Amino acid sequence: MGNAGTGRTGRENREAFDRHRLVPRMLRGVSTRDLSVSLFGRRLPAPVLLAPIASQTVVHPEGELATVRGASDANVPVVLSTGSSHSLEEVAEAAAPEGERWFQFYWPSDRAVAESLVRRAEAAGYTALVLTVDAPAFGYRPTDLDHGYLPFLHGAGLANFTSDPVFRAGLPAGADGRAVVEHWARVFGNPSLTWDDLPWLRELTRLPILLKGILHPGDARRARAYGVDGLVVSNHGGRQLDGSVAALDALPAVRAAVGPDVPVLLDSGVRTGSDVLKALALGADAVLYGRPYLYGLALDGRDGVAHVLTCLLAELDLALALAGCPTVADVTSDLLLPAGGERR
């Protein structure tokens, strides 16, 4: 997966984590640690969820089915992409029955298809909607173009649409694969969305709604005014607007804009347990974890995903201990060295 433009935003995501340095605290009694967090009234075992990544059969034949099984093995919730290669019902069936799962929602231009996807997610046991708002169009991704990485055009990542009765009703009789892709291309993108569309979605479902792709504090405040339940601070992993602010750098202002009680998650650039710790210290309630688990999926399917997540959670547990934090609630901003200064 290539980044947008020169790749500057993707590099900034990592450099932002490198700029922040931890100042651990001592003698705090860390013989046992509790990684769990509460989001939307539900207790999660750790402040980590799998980020939505589309078209996963490109890297492994079982795609999202292997991912959700590996995530279940590691007890990590999954945010399923609208562009998954297996339907949301198939993924739900493959997941652990008691496992937490959210549905990432790309709002189609056909409102009837949008409603159908939301209803299906509710019926399949997904417990939150993550509306991605930073992709009114696909970013300019030279690496993807150079390698011909356009999986949707080959039918990968369309399962939630080809399995949808409302979408299929819009196909011409006898539609072949090309006709399906062309119809998907007309429906999938929705650059006309505005804030005024959000009340319709709020009325449609009682599921918590998070907006993914928020970087500006003004947008964060506006989201709250429109009844949004949570935010995901994200620049799409550097794959949308080249030159965008690093997600971690945007996090503190977004947190300040909405106050302490609104769930705020951090996506883009997270790689290690210490990264998770830094995000928590800057105001995140949890993080979305992306590319590393996809590498695990490519290498060893379900077991690869589980291994990557087990390693991350073990590192996070150790990071909490070494930073002097028995629980996630003990992670506060004073664990970070102020920018340009030193503690006294």
Side-chain angles (χ1 to χ4, degrees):
M1 297 186 295
N3 288 326
T6 66
R8 179 70 262 174
T9 301
R11 293 192 297 273
E12 284 283 346
N13 282 334
R14 286 303 313 145
E15 291 169 7
F17 281 100
D18 292 340
R19 286 193 298 271
H20 288 282
R21 289 171 289 166
L22 293 163
V23 185
R25 305 300 299 273
M26 302 302 155
L27 300 174
R28 287 187 161 187
V30 292
S31 57
T32 61
R33 277 85 62 195
D34 180 4
L35 275 64
S36 66
V37 295
S38 182
L39 289 175
F40 306 113
R42 303 171 73 92
R43 200 70 185 171
L44 306 187
V48 178
L49 300 90
L50 290 197
I53 298 178
S55 308
Q56 293 185 22
T57 51
V58 168
V59 301
H60 189 277
E62 295 180 9
E64 295 84 4
L65 301 182
T67 291
V68 76
R69 288 169 180 145
S72 295
D73 293 341
N75 206 16
V76 172
V78 170
V79 183
L80 180 70
S81 172
T82 301
S84 58
S85 295
H86 296 279
S87 72
L88 60 92
E89 290 87 358
E90 291 173 318
V91 174
E93 186 175 347
E98 70 282 1
E100 184 84 6
R101 54 188 178 273
W102 297 358
F103 184 63
Q104 179 230 20
F105 183 49
Y106 278 107
W107 191 322
S109 60
D110 185 327
R111 188 163 282 194
V113 174
E115 180 173 355
S116 182
L117 288 171
V118 172
R119 296 299 188 205
R120 289 171 58 197
E122 291 174 328
Y126 292 82
T127 56
L129 286 180
V130 181
L131 174 61
T132 296
V133 295
D134 62 359
F138 289 122
Y140 183 69
R141 304 163 185 172
T143 302
D144 288 3
L145 294 173
D146 289 347
H147 290 87
Y149 182 72
L150 298 168
F152 296 122
L153 299 186
H154 302 285
L158 306 188
N160 283 320
F161 293 88
T162 57
S163 61
D164 191 272
V166 179
F167 176 86
R168 295 194 63 81
L171 291 169
D176 59 11
R178 178 172 180 175
V180 170
V181 171
E182 290 176 348
H183 183 47
W184 169 86
R186 287 190 293 270
V187 168
F188 181 75
N190 194 356
S192 66
L193 276 178
T194 71
W195 292 98
D196 291 336
D197 291 302
L198 290 180
W200 177 83
L201 182 62
R202 180 68 285 167
E203 287 294 320
L204 179 64
T205 181
R206 293 186 178 181
L207 293 179
I209 297 171
L210 300 89
L211 295 192
K212 179 176 179 288
I214 297 299
L215 296 169
H216 196 289
D219 286 343
R221 287 188 290 269
R222 196 165 191 183
R224 290 297 295 149
Y226 275 83
V228 170
D229 302 289
L231 302 172
V232 181
V233 178
S234 171
N235 57 31
H236 217 99
R239 285 173 56 78
Q240 283 299 93
L241 178 63
D242 191 27
S244 172
V245 62
L248 191 71
D249 287 340
L251 173 60
V254 170
R255 166 54 75 195
V258 298
D261 299 326
V262 177
V264 175
L265 284 71
L266 186 281
D267 167 81
S268 301
V270 180
R271 297 290 182 269
T272 70
S274 291
D275 290 345
V276 179
L277 193 62
K278 291 175 182 180
L280 296 174
L282 287 169
D285 293 293
V287 304
L288 298 187
Y289 192 61
R291 297 187 200 202
Y293 86 77
L294 196 68
Y295 303 150
L297 174 66
L299 289 169
D300 200 18
R302 172 182 184 167
D303 290 343
V305 173
H307 178 75
V308 168
L309 296 177
T310 299
C311 291
L312 175 71
L313 296 180
E315 185 180 11
L316 174 59
D317 181 54
L318 284 171
L320 284 172
L322 295 171
C325 299
T327 72
V328 170
D330 295 311
V331 180
T332 54
S333 60
D334 67 349
L335 288 178
L336 295 175
L337 189 69
E342 295 184 359
R343 292 200 183 280
R344 294 186 180 273

